[in-house]
Amino acid sequence: MDKVIVKAKELKEEINSLPEVKEYLRLKEIYEKDDELRKMRLDIATLKSKGKEEERNNLLKIYNSHPLVANYLSAKEEVEEILLAIKNILD
């Protein structure tokens, strides 16, 4: 069992050293700490809870067109594809 844990840790290190994963983690940190985006996410949720769908959709379009959001989501998708490929190899 120790060999499996060691190999899993090695795989994790290899994955974390990939440029795509490094970029994703960098963008994720910036994305989560961005006050403007955080406020927009809160406003979007508030508008939804108040049933103001048109205003919510307008703000959501602005949010999704923000360069940081677009780059973060693109990087996230790349990493998900890498992880899915690894999963398929291991299956």
Side-chain angles (χ1 to χ4, degrees):
M1 194 59 124
D2 288 334
K3 288 182 182 180
V4 172
I5 292 171
V6 169
K7 289 295 182 186
K9 287 181 179 181
E10 289 174 3
L11 179 59
K12 178 185 174 194
E13 289 176 19
E14 288 291 323
I15 291 170
N16 286 338
S17 70
L18 294 172
E20 297 89 349
V21 174
K22 286 181 179 181
E23 178 67 4
Y24 164 72
L25 293 173
R26 183 185 74 79
L27 288 169
K28 181 180 180 200
E29 183 176 349
I30 296 169
Y31 170 84
E32 290 176 347
K33 290 181 178 179
D34 189 286
D35 290 332
E36 176 188 1
L37 293 177
R38 189 177 304 167
K39 183 179 181 328
M40 288 176 77
R41 287 190 294 271
L42 180 61
D43 291 346
I44 290 166
T46 301
L47 289 169
K48 182 174 177 83
S49 71
K50 291 181 178 180
K52 297 182 177 182
E53 286 301 313
E54 186 175 337
E55 291 176 38
R56 176 190 169 270
N57 289 337
N58 290 337
L59 185 55
L60 197 55
K61 283 180 186 176
I62 294 168
Y63 177 82
N64 287 330
S65 67
H66 191 287
L68 179 56
V69 173
N71 289 338
Y72 167 72
L73 294 176
S74 176
K76 181 179 178 183
E77 188 175 309
E78 281 184 52
V79 170
E80 287 172 347
E81 288 175 13
I82 291 168
L83 294 175
L84 181 59
I86 292 169
K87 179 187 176 289
N88 289 337
I89 291 168
L90 294 175
D91 283 343

